[in-house]
Amino acid sequence: MPLEHSESGGNEPIMGERMLRGSRLGAVSYESDRNTELAPRQTREFLCARGHQFEVPFAVDAEVPTTWECKFDGTVARLVDGSEPEAKKAKPPRTHWDMLLERRSMSELEDILNERLEEVRVRRGRTA
């Protein structure tokens, strides 16, 4: 702790350090709720698969999500008395073959295959 010399010749703590002693900086807010009006709130209940039930406050005009992370174990909790989330339509994965068939017909692909096979045969010294 930096010390400063006083007129009496002793070492005393600097004023700022004396004021902050015993305080955890940033951990405690010294503001109070006096003379403030809080926004209107609603409290909604969530329930996780392991049976933990907890409440989360939201603003009255907020859109409440149907799922929330459980504050006890981190699993997904569902809104009590809420509708199930809409299932998203999942597209089946497109393979390379699917994309190729979008660009070429089967007859075009057969022609290309025969051209390539002929090139390979010529390179190897064989002719069909």
Side-chain angles (χ1 to χ4, degrees):
M1 173 188 315
L3 301 174
E4 66 181 23
H5 298 284
S6 65
E7 293 178 13
S8 62
N11 290 335
E12 296 177 13
I14 298 173
M15 178 69 158
E17 291 180 5
R18 189 177 320 136
M19 296 300 292
L20 295 176
R21 188 178 304 148
S23 172
R24 293 172 288 158
L25 290 176
V28 178
S29 173
Y30 295 107
E31 288 187 23
S32 69
D33 291 337
R34 284 184 301 178
N35 302 325
T36 58
E37 188 176 324
L38 299 176
R41 298 174 189 227
Q42 62 175 324
T43 304
R44 301 301 301 264
E45 289 186 53
F46 289 86
L47 178 67
C48 80
R50 295 185 181 160
H52 300 127
Q53 191 162 357
F54 57 94
E55 294 182 342
V56 180
F58 293 97
V60 170
D61 57 345
E63 184 177 328
V64 179
T66 56
T67 60
W68 196 265
E69 183 179 317
C70 178
K71 66 180 186 178
F72 299 106
D73 60 12
T75 59
V76 175
R78 299 210 179 274
L79 180 64
V80 175
D81 298 329
S83 61
E84 288 293 314
E86 295 177 14
K88 296 179 181 174
K89 294 180 182 178
K91 292 183 183 178
R94 287 174 46 199
T95 64
H96 292 291
W97 180 249
D98 294 333
M99 289 185 267
L100 184 62
L101 288 177
E102 289 174 6
R103 295 189 310 266
R104 307 269 186 185
S105 68
M106 285 301 287
S107 62
E108 287 177 314
L109 291 172
E110 287 174 3
D111 292 340
I112 293 171
L113 176 63
N114 290 330
E115 289 174 14
R116 297 293 181 204
L117 287 174
E118 187 60 35
E119 288 177 15
V120 170
R121 288 184 187 121
V122 168
R123 243 185 290 148
R124 291 185 178 176
R126 299 185 214 154
T127 27

